[in-house]
Amino acid sequence: MAGQPAFIHYDSKEREIFLSQVGNFTPAEREIFHKLCRMWEPEISYNRFSAAIFSNSANAKSDLAKLLDKLKAERHGLITTVMQNGERIPQGIVVCEQGELIFYVKLVEELMTDVQETPTSPLPSQERLAELGFPPPGEYLVDTTFEELALRYSAKAVQGPGILRITLPGGGAYLVSEGQVKRFVTLAIAQAQGFFQSPSLLAAMAALKNASLMDMKRQLNGRVPDFWLDTAERMLKHRKQLETHRKVTIPQGFFSLMAFIAGFITQQVEQAKNAKKADQERRTDLRTLAEHVKEHPGFAMPDKDFAEKIMSFKEKYGDDYSAFRDEFEQTYVIPESGKNLPPVLHVEGHYIHSVNLHTFFLSRINRLSPELMKIYISLMTAYIKRGGKLDEPLFTSPESFENDIAEKVRIEDSLLYQLLQKPQTVAEAIIIASKQSSRVRSVEDMKLILASFFYPDKIKFKELALIFALDVREIYQHAFLRLSILRQIVTRLTGKHESFQRQFSEHVQKLYGNIARQGGSVESAEKRLGDAGGAPDDPEMIPSRPERTAESQGSSGRHQRTSRGSSKPQKAASKSATGAKAEIKKIPKHYSRTEQDSAWKQFSKVVKK
């Protein structure tokens, strides 16, 4: 579009001279023109302008119409209209340089409104504009194929101003305002529906389709592409037969319209097929990328490796590569509404597939736990050597110990640390793994698995000391055995050994008390599953006990020897319990798939509280 016309910057005298050169205008029309120049916009609101002038003169509306008719004849402007509640009303006023592009664009759009008002009116065409005395300059027309038109039809972005010329196979060319392709296609179908209101033409179509008149009337009211494509192709195929038939009246422009509908819908259908194929291929590529993450050794793919994988698709998608990358993010990395775990989790510079997250989480805990045990045994050794007087009160309270564990996890394994900040995400991963495990057969079994890490019926991690199996009493025993024999004797004789044991027993009792108040248990998932008569131990589902050092194992052996006196009653109790179980024959209850799915849904609601 051009900018402001030069005449709006003229003074009154220069503008009068301009009007005299353009045509013969009355004083009232001249005054209206001056006001149009003062209120100029690319398209002036008709209501706003009329409100400014109609109050001053009873004939202002008529004078405005006459002025614009004269300007239109000289290609300097026109009134634009719109259909509203079945009535055609003025919408805007365009005033421009002579024969400017905007004039022809608005003229084409007015011809489209003619069809909207009266469906049998001619659609905009080069011939129609020539008949009206406004042949468009060739430089304003953009030759457009049906393929390009179909692409513009489906484009989401609003097209700029311009006029598209669609050359028809049988001759002639339709003109379409570039910003109103969808409107033009809608009007073309509406015009075809109007043409087929002719009884003779409707009967001819029904005969060619071997269908009833009622069925044809019903389908004509719709916009099913297959119907209109078949109709247009049949009409064009039997054109000579129809033109020579004495009882069939063919409206002017009918076959041009059929050629347009056939050409446009053919391309639209073809593009829909291609788009579907491309979409399927794109989805396959996205799944392939997710599979690369899933199959990555160690389950956690670093950002660098992921960037290399996704970059391999850049050549294939070209300019669309950024959109492909964004689609992977939206589809796989961002969780669905109401969920915390996406198909691919991006955390701490790594991508982890959701199906691997539970196994990855357990493996990192089992790897880090013995390392933490070694660290704390060393710190405990230094602590007791100094008589329990360290600058940092590490072992003086469960809270201090918990905070220190968290800090060491952050330093030793920042990825695991970040996962421990996402209890909802980890819980969802455990639920997914539980549902897929053949050894976890019920919601109750899965609750036992969650109990290894979470408090009952809520998604809150238990204390890190429990998750990493760091019992300060055990740590103390290992540290004590690392002392020299002489220091051990001195520690016992001075009462320090008994004092430390009491201190750490109180420490653990306080920890367990906090857990009990929140409804938790310190029992392992492995033990609870066994007590419940559940499934055999599943190494993929139950965290393993961290490996201890040879020194730790020796210490454990001593503790076992000191507790042998209580082994017989435990065995007797176990035998009694086994006998009781043998007496009561358990009949397993089988649940339908619907009942199982319902149970999982109910459980998921509970754990999200």
Side-chain angles (χ1 to χ4, degrees):
M1 294 282 185
Q4 297 176 340
F7 55 77
I8 70 170
H9 300 292
Y10 293 169
D11 58 28
S12 298
K13 185 176 180 180
E14 290 173 325
R15 207 174 287 142
E16 288 291 339
I17 294 172
F18 168 76
L19 285 174
S20 298
Q21 293 172 341
V22 172
N24 185 21
F25 298 92
T26 66
E29 292 167 356
R30 288 172 179 269
E31 180 58 30
I32 292 174
F33 183 77
H34 288 303
K35 289 183 178 180
L36 284 171
C37 291
R38 288 194 292 270
M39 297 178 64
W40 187 90
E41 292 177 359
E43 184 171 355
I44 303 166
S45 167
Y46 183 88
N47 289 337
R48 186 168 65 86
F49 185 77
S50 61
I53 67 167
F54 289 178
S55 59
N56 299 328
S57 170
N59 299 321
K61 183 176 182 179
S62 174
D63 291 335
L64 176 62
K66 291 176 182 178
L67 168 66
L68 267 299
D69 282 343
K70 293 176 183 179
L71 291 176
K72 181 178 178 181
E74 298 299 325
R75 294 170 294 144
H76 270 297
L78 73 167
I79 294 176
T80 64
T81 59
V82 64
M83 295 298 297
Q84 193 173 88
N85 298 323
E87 181 182 359
R88 190 169 185 172
I89 60 173
Q91 177 177 256
I93 302 169
V94 173
V95 179
C96 60
E97 293 286 5
Q98 187 176 41
E100 207 170 355
L101 174 59
I102 190 173
F103 173 80
Y104 289 99
V105 169
K106 294 301 179 181
L107 194 60
V108 167
E109 290 177 0
E110 284 304 295
L111 292 178
M112 291 169 68
T113 306
D114 288 346
V115 179
Q116 189 176 354
E117 183 179 30
T118 307
T120 54
S121 297
L123 284 164
S125 65
Q126 210 166 343
E127 295 76 17
R128 179 61 179 160
L129 285 183
E131 289 174 6
L132 296 173
F134 303 108
E139 63 267 25
Y140 290 167
L141 307 181
V142 180
D143 286 315
T144 306
T145 64
F146 284 114
E147 181 181 2
E148 293 167 338
L149 190 69
L151 286 171
R152 289 175 180 271
Y153 181 89
S154 58
K156 294 180 180 180
V158 177
Q159 303 296 321
I163 301 174
L164 307 178
R165 176 168 57 189
I166 301 96
T167 302
L168 302 172
Y174 281 147
L175 300 180
V176 182
S177 172
E178 190 169 354
Q180 299 197 9
V181 173
K182 288 188 177 182
R183 182 186 178 204
F184 185 91
V185 173
T186 299
L187 292 173
I189 297 296
Q191 186 171 84
Q193 290 170 330
F195 283 160
F196 281 111
Q197 296 303 312
S198 165
S200 62
L201 198 58
L202 179 64
M205 179 179 67
L208 290 174
K209 285 176 169 281
N210 194 26
S212 67
L213 290 175
M214 288 295 294
D215 187 40
M216 287 299 95
K217 287 180 179 179
R218 179 182 59 80
Q219 294 194 65
L220 277 171
N221 290 327
R223 295 186 60 186
V224 179
D226 289 345
F227 168 78
W228 284 107
L229 178 59
D230 179 68
T231 298
E233 288 178 339
R234 286 177 187 269
M235 294 293 109
L236 292 170
K237 182 178 180 180
H238 297 278
R239 178 172 182 170
K240 290 184 179 180
Q241 180 182 346
L242 292 169
E243 286 178 329
T244 57
H245 200 292
R246 291 184 299 108
K247 294 184 178 181
V248 178
T249 302
I250 304 297
Q252 185 177 359
F254 174 76
F255 288 108
S256 293
L257 179 62
M258 293 296 104
F260 173 81
I261 291 175
F264 175 78
I265 295 181
T266 296
Q267 284 301 321
Q268 195 177 38
V269 170
E270 184 65 23
Q271 286 179 18
K273 290 180 181 177
N274 293 338
K276 184 177 181 180
K277 181 180 178 181
D279 182 66
Q280 291 174 339
E281 187 173 342
R282 191 183 187 95
R283 290 177 183 276
T284 299
D285 289 340
L286 292 171
R287 284 195 300 270
T288 299
L289 191 57
E291 283 297 312
H292 284 311
V293 175
K294 181 180 176 182
E295 300 300 327
H296 188 78
F299 302 134
M301 177 182 280
D303 284 350
K304 181 182 177 182
D305 293 353
F306 178 80
E308 291 177 359
K309 291 294 183 183
I310 197 169
M311 187 64 74
S312 64
F313 292 97
K314 187 171 185 179
E315 183 177 351
K316 178 178 180 178
Y317 287 97
D319 295 339
D320 202 28
Y321 169 73
S322 294
F324 174 78
R325 186 179 57 200
D326 292 343
E327 188 174 352
F328 181 84
E329 184 84 12
Q330 290 291 329
T331 306
Y332 285 91
V333 182
I334 296 177
E336 296 178 16
S337 177
K339 294 184 178 180
N340 291 277
L341 178 64
V344 174
L345 178 67
H346 187 223
V347 58
E348 196 66 13
H350 291 78
Y351 289 86
I352 307 171
H353 201 284
S354 58
V355 301
N356 295 330
L357 183 57
H358 181 217
T359 302
F360 175 80
F361 181 70
L362 291 180
S363 68
R364 298 296 270 232
I365 287 176
N366 290 332
R367 181 190 66 81
L368 185 57
S369 186
E371 297 301 319
L372 292 175
M373 176 61 81
K374 291 178 183 178
I375 291 171
Y376 284 115
I377 289 173
S378 296
L379 291 173
M380 181 67 81
T381 302
Y383 180 75
I384 59 180
K385 281 182 179 180
R386 296 180 56 180
K389 296 179 180 179
L390 281 179
D391 294 336
E392 290 293 331
L394 174 58
F395 299 111
T396 58
S397 71
E399 293 78 16
S400 298
F401 190 46
E402 186 73 12
N403 292 336
D404 194 78
I405 296 172
E407 180 60 17
K408 284 181 171 50
V409 172
R410 187 186 68 80
I411 294 170
E412 298 292 329
D413 193 335
S414 59
L415 205 164
L416 176 58
Y417 177 81
Q418 288 300 325
L419 290 178
L420 288 168
Q421 311 311 306
K422 302 176 183 293
Q424 285 280 3
T425 302
V426 174
E428 288 181 22
I430 293 175
I431 292 172
I432 290 173
S434 298
K435 292 180 69 174
Q436 294 175 347
S437 173
S438 60
R439 297 189 178 187
V440 179
R441 297 171 295 186
S442 70
V443 170
E444 291 305 316
D445 287 349
M446 202 273 289
K447 283 184 177 181
L448 294 173
I449 298 300
L450 279 173
S452 299
F453 305 105
F454 300 99
Y455 284 102
D457 296 332
K458 54 185 172 182
I459 300 306
K460 179 183 177 183
F461 277 121
K462 287 183 176 178
E463 280 68 8
L464 296 178
L466 289 177
I467 291 176
F468 288 98
L470 298 171
D471 188 322
V472 290
R473 295 171 303 182
E474 185 180 354
I475 293 171
Y476 171 74
Q477 292 298 333
H478 294 324
F480 180 75
L481 292 174
R482 292 177 67 175
L483 300 175
S484 66
I485 299 296
L486 178 59
R487 186 178 286 274
Q488 289 184 33
I489 294 171
V490 171
T491 303
R492 288 179 182 275
L493 290 175
T494 58
K496 277 288 186 180
H497 179 60
E498 184 179 351
S499 175
F500 281 132
Q501 286 182 318
R502 185 168 54 252
Q503 174 186 337
F504 297 129
S505 292
E506 291 173 354
H507 178 118
V508 173
Q509 287 173 3
K510 186 176 180 182
L511 171 63
Y512 289 176
N514 293 338
I515 295 170
R517 280 192 292 274
Q518 299 188 61
S521 170
V522 296
E523 295 174 304
S524 69
E526 181 178 356
K527 183 176 185 299
R528 294 184 66 178
L529 270 177
D531 291 344
D537 296 346
D538 186 344
E540 294 182 355
M541 301 303 301
I542 300 172
S544 63
R545 184 69 172 175
E547 293 290 339
R548 301 306 188 197
T549 61
E551 181 180 353
S552 301
Q553 291 171 357
S555 173
S556 299
R558 295 189 185 187
H559 290 300
Q560 289 171 4
R561 286 194 294 273
T562 59
S563 61
R564 282 179 183 174
S566 61
S567 62
K568 289 182 180 181
Q570 289 175 353
K571 289 179 179 179
S574 176
K575 184 177 180 180
S576 175
T578 305
K581 289 180 182 178
E583 291 175 7
I584 303 173
K585 185 178 180 181
K586 290 187 177 181
I587 302 175
K589 184 174 180 180
H590 298 283
Y591 296 92
S592 68
R593 185 65 186 173
T594 302
E595 289 173 324
Q596 292 178 36
D597 290 341
S598 177
W600 283 114
K601 289 178 181 178
Q602 290 298 322
F603 175 75
S604 296
K605 290 179 182 178
V606 171
V607 299
K608 287 180 180 179
K609 289 181 180 178

